[in-house]
Amino acid sequence: MLDNLPRGTIFIEDLEIGMSRYVRKTVSDQDIEMFAAVSTDHNPVHLDEDYAKDTMFGGRIAHGMLTAGLISAVIGEQLPGHGTIYMGQSLKFLAPVRPDDTVVATVTVTDIDLAKRRVRLDCKCTVDGKKVLAGEATVLAPSRKLD
């Protein structure tokens, strides 16, 4: 995975609206197979090309939650990073991700409630500049004063 900054923690006291981080990952067949094993989601649209070619997608697609997991990677590793706790996430799946697609997952700070340590984040994933996933997360951010 490639990203734009090292992993770690950005404390809520240091966050700013508009701050953004991303990861870039090419989704492999092995990623899809491992996600199926861990999640126990063995839907053939993800794993069986013969089955998937007769679906509306015309071929295999990655699990939507595999793509969404890249957002979790940005939140848990970079923005705010280590010590962050998920409180909620909305997701809209806009287009399929296929094996060998390179996904860019981007998270941007849209609101900060310092008193409650809550941060709202705009979340999106793109493939070749086309948005494939959009959503919003609310997290409890680590605090330099409390953690």
Side-chain angles (χ1 to χ4, degrees):
M1 264 198 288
L2 300 174
D3 53 53
N4 60 335
L5 282 175
R7 281 133 168 63
T9 302
I10 302 174
F11 293 106
I12 193 165
E13 294 87 359
D14 301 321
L15 290 176
E16 298 175 9
I17 292 176
M19 191 177 277
S20 185
R21 299 291 184 269
Y22 70 88
V23 297
R24 177 180 291 124
K25 178 171 179 42
T26 300
V27 176
S28 69
D29 286 326
Q30 183 181 14
D31 293 326
I32 295 169
E33 291 165 8
M34 288 190 310
F35 190 88
V38 169
S39 68
T40 70
D41 178 355
H42 298 282
N43 185 330
V45 75
H46 306 302
L47 302 168
D48 183 340
E49 185 62 38
D50 288 335
Y51 174 90
K53 71 181 179 187
D54 292 330
T55 69
M56 64 189 249
F57 301 109
R60 291 177 47 235
I61 60 171
H63 300 75
M65 294 309 289
L66 171 58
T67 304
L70 298 175
I71 292 170
S72 179
V74 177
I75 291 171
E77 292 286 336
Q78 294 184 43
L79 185 66
H82 297 173
T84 301
I85 304 298
Y86 249 112
M87 297 182 73
Q89 175 80 60
S90 67
L91 299 170
K92 291 183 181 178
F93 298 96
L94 306 172
V97 172
R98 300 182 183 281
D100 300 320
D101 279 351
T102 299
V103 178
V104 178
T106 305
V107 172
T108 304
V109 176
T110 59
D111 188 55
I112 302 167
D113 183 338
L114 194 59
K116 292 183 179 180
R117 295 176 54 186
R118 287 183 173 80
V119 179
R120 192 168 49 229
L121 304 160
D122 177 71
C123 306
K124 70 177 180 179
C125 293
T126 60
V127 172
D128 295 328
K130 178 182 178 183
K131 198 180 286 189
V132 297
L133 183 153
E136 182 178 90
T138 302
V139 300
L140 181 65
S143 169
R144 182 179 289 106
K145 296 175 184 174
L146 301 173
D147 293 334

